[in-house]
Amino acid sequence: MGTHAAPEVLGASAALLGAVRSASTDRADRAAVATDRSGFVPASLPDGVVFAESVDDVVQAVKLAAVHGVPLVPRGAGTGLAAASSACAGEVVLDLSRMNRILDLDPVEQIAVVEPGVLNAELNAAAGAHGLFYAPDPASTAICSIGGNIATNAGGMRCAKYGVTRESVLGLRVVLADGRELRTGRGTIKGVTGYDLNALMIGSEGTLGIVVEATLRLRPAPITTATAAAFFPDVAAAAAAASAVIAARIQPSLLELVDGPTLEAIDLALGTDFRRRGGAFLLAQTDGFGAHLEMDVLANAVEPFASEVLRPDDEAETEALLAARRAAIPSLEQLGRVSIGDIGVPRGRLAEAVTGLHEISERTGVRIYTIAHAADGNLHPMLVVKPEESVTEGPAKAALGEMFHLAQRLGGTLTGEHGVGLLKRDWLREELGDVSLEVQHAIRRALDPQGILNPGKAI
Amino acid sequence: MGTHAAPEVLGASAALLGAVRSASTDRADRAAVATDRSGFVPASLPDGVVFAESVDDVVQAVKLAAVHGVPLVPRGAGTGLAAASSACAGEVVLDLSRMNRILDLDPVEQIAVVEPGVLNAELNAAAGAHGLFYAPDPASTAICSIGGNIATNAGGMRCAKYGVTRESVLGLRVVLADGRELRTGRGTIKGVTGYDLNALMIGSEGTLGIVVEATLRLRPAPITTATAAAFFPDVAAAAAAASAVIAARIQPSLLELVDGPTLEAIDLALGTDFRRRGGAFLLAQTDGFGAHLEMDVLANAVEPFASEVLRPDDEAETEALLAARRAAIPSLEQLGRVSIGDIGVPRGRLAEAVTGLHEISERTGVRIYTIAHAADGNLHPMLVVKPEESVTEGPAKAALGEMFHLAQRLGGTLTGEHGVGLLKRDWLREELGDVSLEVQHAIRRALDPQGILNPGKAI
C-alpha cells in the first residue's frame, strides 16, 4: 500500500515513497523520525518515512532510492547520541523498528539470530531464560535496538570485561546500496576467510549498507557476581582509584565512576544521600567463579583513595547501587537539556581527564557532569544547558570542542562508543588525519558510489 | 647499499632491487623466502628480496614497486600455513624480519608498541616481566612474528577465552600501496571514530597495506590457572565432552582435543604412553581467581564421557601435558610431509566433524590426524603424506576439498585462524559467495588499484 506525498515533498522522494509497501509523509510521522536523543535539531523534516517489515522491503526501498537518487537514512529505535539517524528535507527515513523478531536462539551454541529492530533488553530477556546474556548493554538497553547498537558499535557498562558490540557480532546480513544482499562473518566463533567485512560494517552508521539480520554471540551468565561501592573526597581521587584497579591487574566486569555534581542530581531525583557521603563515587563488580576473591583485591586497590568502601551483602542493596548509577542520565535530564559527551582516554589518565573537564566547565560556563566507564577510560561528560538553549551551538559546542582537544592531548579519542553521526564531524579530520579519511571515503565510494546511504554521517 | 641483479631477474624488479638500501638477488636468499610452512611449493623463485629495516625502507620499496609495477610480497617470519607469503618469478619479497624492536611497553596502561618483526614469544617474554601477557599464542609462538600474526589474524590456544589477534590489536601504522602512511585504531581500549580500518587490515594478508608498527593490548597474567586432562575411548567421545564443556556455560582458557592417531605420533616422538591410555585426549585449563572451582565444574562435565580424568597437582605434571600437546605437529612432521587443515564448525558439532574427517581419510586414503581448539570449534586436521608427495595436489588436495565441504555442511568455515593465502583460494567463492568477493575486490581496488601488494592472496 503506497501513500500520497504531501505537497512539499520533492519529486524523487515522492516517487520512492509512493512505490513502497508502507510509508508515510504525515508531518507527525516525519517529525517523529527526524532526529535522535543527541539534542541535535535538524533544520527541516525528512520528506517521508518508509516502514520496512522484511528484507524485501529494505531491498525495494534501497533500489528505489538508487533509481531516484534519494538519500536514505536508516533508523532503529532512534536512541542514538550522535545524530547518526537525523534526517532533513530531501532525505527519506528507512525505519527498521518493525523488523523486530528474534529468529533463532540456540542455547547450546550460545548464538542468537535477530532482526535489527529487536531491542537490546528483549534479547537479554530471551537469553536470560537460558542462563545466557548478550554482553553489550548501553544505558538505553530498554529502548535501543540491536541494529542501532551495530550501526554505532555500541558499548555499555559490561564491555569493561566482555568487549563492545563488535566482539559479540559473529555475522551480518546486509543490504548494499545497489540492493544486493551481502553476508558478512559466519556462524562460528572463529573464522578468517577474506577481509573482515563484518567489523567494517559494525560502527559504520548505515553508510556502507543496511543491516537486516544479525548473528550474535551470547555468553554464559556469570555464576557469581560481587559488588563494591566507594565514596571519595573528590573525583580526582575516584579516578586515581579506578586507575589503581587497572594497575592491580584485575578485570572488573563493571567499574563506573560518578562525580559529585552528578551525585547531587541523582539525590535530587531519587531522594538518596550520595553527595553527603562523598565528592565522587565508584561502583565496581567482578564476576565468575572467583568473583569475591577478585573483589577483595579490587577493594584493597581502591581503599587508599576512598573515604568509605561498601560491600553490599544482599541483592536489594546491590540493586539500589546499580539503580542509582543508571539514574544518572535521567536525573540530569530533569535539570535541563543534556548533551552526553563520550571521550576516551588511556586508563591511567582518568584523573587528568576529570580535572581537565572541570577546567572546561569553569572556562566556558557550561555545567559539566561526569560519569565514566572507568575500566575502559571512557568518560561521559554531560553538558547541561537550559531547555531553551542549544546543545550543538554556542557555549555548549565550544565546550564539546574543548573536550575533544582534552582527549587528544591525553592520547585519547573523540568518541568511545557513541559514534560520530553529524555531531562530531567537525573534529573527525583532526583525530583521524587526511590519509585515514581519504581511505574511508574511498571505501565508501567503492560500496556506495551514488552516496545514497546516510550521506554526511560517520565519516 | 644496492645490489646487482642476477641475469634472470626481470627489468622492473631489477630497477626496484637496485634502488633500495638493502636487497638481494642471490639464489639462496630468494629460495629462503620463496614460501612458508604450508607445504606449498611455488613453481619459480621470486626475483629478489628487499630487507626493510625502517618505515622509510618500506615506504621506499612500495613507492618503487608502484613506479615499476612490481608485485611486492610482504614477509614476516615465514611461518604461515596458507602460502600467503609465497612468492614467484616476477615478484619481489619485502622482508620485514629486521624490523624487530619492541618500541614501548607500558605496564600501567598494559600496552605495547612493536615493529612487525618482533616474535610473538619475545613480546610475551617482555610482557611477562611485568606480570602481563599478549593473548594470541599460535603454536609457532617461538618463531612467528607479530606482523604475520596480524596479517593472518592468528589465533592459538588461549583465544578460547581471550579472543584472536583482532581482539588484541588496538592500532596499526600501515604503509599503503601508494606509499602513504595510514594510522588505524588508537591507543585507548575503546573508540569508534570512523570505519574500523584496524579490523579491515587485520587478516588481510598484506593485500591492503603493509603493517610497520602495531599498538597491542596486553593483559594481566592470570593469578591462578587450573589444569585437567582426560582420556576417552574414542575421539567422538572426546568431542562430545568438549561440546558438553561449552554447554555447561563455563569459560575454559584452553580446551585442546587430540585424537588417537596423533597421540600415537606423540608417543613415538616423546616416548610417552598416551595412546595406551585412551583413544583420544582432552587438555583443559581455566584461569582467574576461581580457576579451581571452575575446573571442578569442567571436570564434572567431561567425566561422563571419559575413561580417565587427571587433575595434575604440580607444575611439572602440568607442563608435561602442555608439552605433549605442543609436540603434536612436530611429532607428525617426523612421519612425513604435513599439511595443517584449519576448519571451524559450530561448537556443538565437533563430534560430527571428527567423524566426517575419519570418513574422508577412509575415502581418500590420506592419513588425517586431528587436533582441535575445541572451545572455538576450530579443528586442525593434519594430512600426512610421504615426503616426496605433494600436499597441495592429488589425493591431499582432494582431502582438503572434502574437509572444506564437511565444514560447510556443518555450518562452518574453511579457515578458523590460518588464513586463505594461495592454498585455499579454490574454495573461497563457495564459502563467501559472489557478492562478498565482489565487495572485497572493490575495497582492494580502492586501496591498491595497481594490485601491487601481495596479489592473488587472501581474496
Side-chain angles (χ1 to χ4, degrees):
Chain A
M1 188 180 74
T3 178
H4 290 288
E8 71 270 30
V9 167
L10 302 171
S13 295
L16 186 160
L17 291 159
V20 298
R21 210 172 49 79
S22 179
S24 171
T25 56
D26 289 351
R27 194 178 169 80
D29 289 337
R30 290 152 58 207
V33 298
T35 194
D36 58 7
R37 290 168 67 93
S38 64
F40 179 82
V41 183
S44 54
L45 295 184
D47 290 349
V49 50
V50 175
F51 301 106
E53 289 176 15
S54 67
V55 176
D56 286 347
D57 286 352
V58 175
V59 170
Q60 186 197 23
V62 170
K63 283 185 171 170
L64 286 164
V67 167
H68 297 290
V70 178
L72 270 189
V73 178
R75 181 183 184 84
T79 60
L81 295 169
S85 64
S86 290
C88 61
E91 297 179 329
V92 166
V93 171
L94 178 59
D95 185 314
L96 299 151
S97 62
R98 296 182 185 178
M99 293 178 68
N100 60 359
R101 290 174 303 163
I102 296 175
L103 301 173
D104 188 24
L105 199 158
D106 182 335
V108 176
E109 284 300 322
Q110 301 168 10
I111 281 177
V113 181
V114 304
E115 291 185 325
V118 169
L119 299 186
N120 184 293
E122 285 173 355
L123 174 59
N124 263 302
H130 299 282
L132 301 169
F133 72 106
Y134 176 64
D137 62 337
S140 52
T141 172
I143 52 171
C144 67
S145 68
I146 296 294
N149 294 172
I150 292 168
T152 57
N153 194 14
M157 299 204 271
R158 288 197 288 238
C159 52
K161 181 166 182 174
Y162 296 101
V164 293
T165 296
R166 192 192 68 175
E167 276 74 65
S168 286
V169 176
L170 296 175
L172 296 172
R173 188 175 172 195
V174 178
V175 175
L176 297 172
D178 55 9
R180 284 182 303 171
E181 271 185 58
L182 169 71
R183 297 227 176 223
T184 71
R186 52 196 59 77
T188 54
I189 298 300
K190 275 157 77 179
V192 291
T193 38
Y195 300 154
D196 194 347
L197 299 183
N198 203 47
L200 185 64
M201 288 292 161
I202 297 166
S204 66
E205 298 183 354
T207 62
L208 297 177
I210 293 170
V211 172
V212 291
E213 190 182 296
T215 301
L216 306 174
R217 179 178 188 168
L218 306 176
R219 291 169 202 268
I223 189 152
T224 309
T225 300
T227 305
F231 290 95
F232 302 85
D234 54 42
V235 68
S243 295
V245 167
I246 301 306
R249 294 174 196 153
I250 47 184
Q251 178 58 73
S253 56
L254 178 151
L255 188 66
E256 295 291 312
L257 181 152
V258 183
D259 76 353
T262 309
L263 290 177
E264 255 171 64
I266 293 169
D267 287 342
L268 205 62
L270 302 187
T272 44
D273 68 341
F274 285 104
R275 182 65 188 84
R276 192 184 54 73
R277 295 166 75 179
F281 176 71
L282 204 57
L283 178 62
Q285 290 193 315
T286 52
D287 67 20
F289 285 80
H292 291 287
L293 286 172
E294 192 162 14
M295 186 50 83
D296 291 344
V297 179
L298 191 152
N300 283 341
V302 164
E303 202 160 36
F305 304 90
S307 49
E308 182 187 355
V309 178
L310 307 172
R311 296 283 295 266
D313 52 10
D314 67 30
E315 190 61 38
E317 207 182 334
T318 299
E319 193 38 55
L321 292 166
L322 287 165
R325 161 60 188 83
R326 281 195 217 103
I329 297 174
S331 302
L332 291 172
E333 285 171 342
Q334 295 182 15
L335 302 183
R337 226 162 138 188
V338 176
S339 173
I340 306 177
D342 178 41
I343 58 175
V345 300
R347 298 179 288 184
R349 308 195 75 171
L350 272 173
E352 289 168 81
V354 294
T355 305
L357 288 168
H358 185 72
E359 288 163 7
I360 293 171
S361 180
E362 300 274 295
R363 228 174 8 250
T364 59
V366 177
R367 286 186 294 166
I368 301 181
Y369 301 76
T370 297
I371 56 177
H373 306 310
D376 292 325
N378 185 192
L379 297 103
H380 291 312
M382 289 169 294
L383 311 186
V384 180
V385 299
K386 292 185 190 136
E388 66 276 15
E389 289 175 342
S390 167
V391 292
T392 56
E393 303 293 333
K397 178 159 184 182
L400 282 170
E402 288 210 27
M403 270 160 44
F404 162 59
H405 289 112
L406 169 67
Q408 214 181 32
R409 266 200 314 282
L410 298 175
T413 180
L414 176 56
T415 171
E417 60 182 14
H418 292 169
V420 171
L422 291 175
L423 217 61
K424 297 168 198 162
R425 286 183 311 169
D426 289 357
W427 303 289
L428 194 59
R429 184 171 298 272
E430 208 173 326
E431 175 165 332
L432 295 178
D434 290 340
V435 174
S436 177
L437 266 185
E438 280 162 32
V439 168
Q440 299 192 38
H441 280 283
I443 290 172
R444 160 100 164 135
R445 279 194 303 274
L447 268 74
D448 180 12
Q450 267 188 286
I452 58 159
L453 294 182
N454 215 8
K457 314 290 172 52
I459 61 166
Chain B
M1 190 180 74
T3 178
H4 291 287
E8 70 270 31
V9 168
L10 301 172
S13 295
L16 186 160
L17 290 160
V20 297
R21 210 171 50 79
S22 180
S24 171
T25 55
D26 289 351
R27 195 180 168 80
D29 289 337
R30 290 153 57 208
V33 299
T35 194
D36 59 7
R37 290 168 67 93
S38 64
F40 178 83
V41 183
S44 54
L45 295 185
D47 290 350
V49 51
V50 175
F51 301 106
E53 289 176 15
S54 68
V55 176
D56 285 348
D57 286 353
V58 175
V59 170
Q60 186 196 24
V62 170
K63 283 185 171 170
L64 286 163
V67 167
H68 297 290
V70 179
L72 270 188
V73 178
R75 181 183 184 84
T79 59
L81 294 169
S85 64
S86 291
C88 61
E91 297 180 327
V92 166
V93 171
L94 178 59
D95 185 312
L96 299 151
S97 62
R98 296 182 185 178
M99 293 179 69
N100 59 0
R101 290 174 304 163
I102 296 175
L103 302 172
D104 188 23
L105 200 159
D106 183 336
V108 176
E109 283 300 321
Q110 302 168 10
I111 280 177
V113 181
V114 304
E115 291 185 325
V118 169
L119 299 185
N120 183 294
E122 284 174 355
L123 174 60
N124 263 304
H130 300 282
L132 302 169
F133 72 106
Y134 176 64
D137 62 337
S140 53
T141 173
I143 52 171
C144 67
S145 69
I146 296 294
N149 294 172
I150 292 169
T152 56
N153 194 15
M157 298 203 271
R158 289 197 288 237
C159 52
K161 181 166 182 175
Y162 295 101
V164 292
T165 296
R166 192 191 69 176
E167 275 74 66
S168 286
V169 176
L170 296 175
L172 296 172
R173 188 174 172 195
V174 178
V175 175
L176 297 174
D178 56 8
R180 285 181 303 170
E181 271 185 57
L182 169 71
R183 296 228 177 221
T184 70
R186 54 198 57 78
T188 54
I189 298 300
K190 274 157 75 177
V192 291
T193 39
Y195 300 154
D196 193 348
L197 299 184
N198 203 48
L200 185 65
M201 288 292 161
I202 297 166
S204 67
E205 298 184 354
T207 63
L208 297 177
I210 294 172
V211 172
V212 291
E213 189 182 298
T215 301
L216 306 174
R217 178 177 190 168
L218 306 175
R219 292 170 202 267
I223 189 150
T224 310
T225 300
T227 305
F231 290 95
F232 302 85
D234 55 41
V235 68
S243 295
V245 167
I246 301 306
R249 294 176 196 151
I250 46 184
Q251 177 58 74
S253 55
L254 178 151
L255 187 65
E256 295 291 313
L257 180 153
V258 183
D259 76 351
T262 309
L263 290 178
E264 253 171 66
I266 293 170
D267 288 341
L268 205 61
L270 303 187
T272 44
D273 68 341
F274 285 105
R275 182 62 187 87
R276 193 185 52 74
R277 295 166 76 179
F281 176 72
L282 204 57
L283 179 61
Q285 290 193 314
T286 52
D287 67 19
F289 284 80
H292 290 288
L293 285 172
E294 192 162 13
M295 186 50 83
D296 290 343
V297 179
L298 191 153
N300 283 342
V302 164
E303 203 160 35
F305 304 91
S307 50
E308 181 188 355
V309 178
L310 306 173
R311 296 283 294 266
D313 52 11
D314 67 30
E315 190 61 36
E317 207 181 334
T318 298
E319 193 39 53
L321 291 167
L322 286 165
R325 162 61 187 83
R326 281 196 216 102
I329 297 173
S331 301
L332 291 172
E333 285 171 342
Q334 294 182 17
L335 302 183
R337 225 161 140 186
V338 177
S339 174
I340 306 176
D342 178 40
I343 58 174
V345 299
R347 297 179 289 185
R349 309 195 74 172
L350 274 172
E352 288 168 83
V354 294
T355 305
L357 288 168
H358 185 73
E359 288 163 7
I360 292 170
S361 179
E362 299 273 295
R363 226 173 10 247
T364 59
V366 177
R367 286 187 293 165
I368 301 181
Y369 300 75
T370 297
I371 56 177
H373 306 310
D376 292 324
N378 185 193
L379 297 103
H380 293 311
M382 289 170 293
L383 311 186
V384 180
V385 300
K386 291 185 190 138
E388 66 276 16
E389 289 175 343
S390 167
V391 292
T392 56
E393 302 294 333
K397 179 160 183 181
L400 282 170
E402 288 209 29
M403 271 161 43
F404 162 60
H405 289 112
L406 169 67
Q408 214 181 32
R409 265 201 315 282
L410 298 175
T413 179
L414 176 56
T415 172
E417 59 181 16
H418 292 169
V420 172
L422 291 174
L423 217 60
K424 297 167 196 162
R425 286 183 311 170
D426 289 356
W427 304 289
L428 195 58
R429 184 171 298 272
E430 207 173 328
E431 174 165 332
L432 295 179
D434 290 339
V435 174
S436 177
L437 265 185
E438 281 161 32
V439 168
Q440 299 192 37
H441 280 283
I443 290 171
R444 160 100 164 136
R445 278 193 305 274
L447 268 75
D448 180 12
Q450 267 187 286
I452 58 160
L453 294 182
N454 215 8
K457 314 288 172 50
I459 61 166

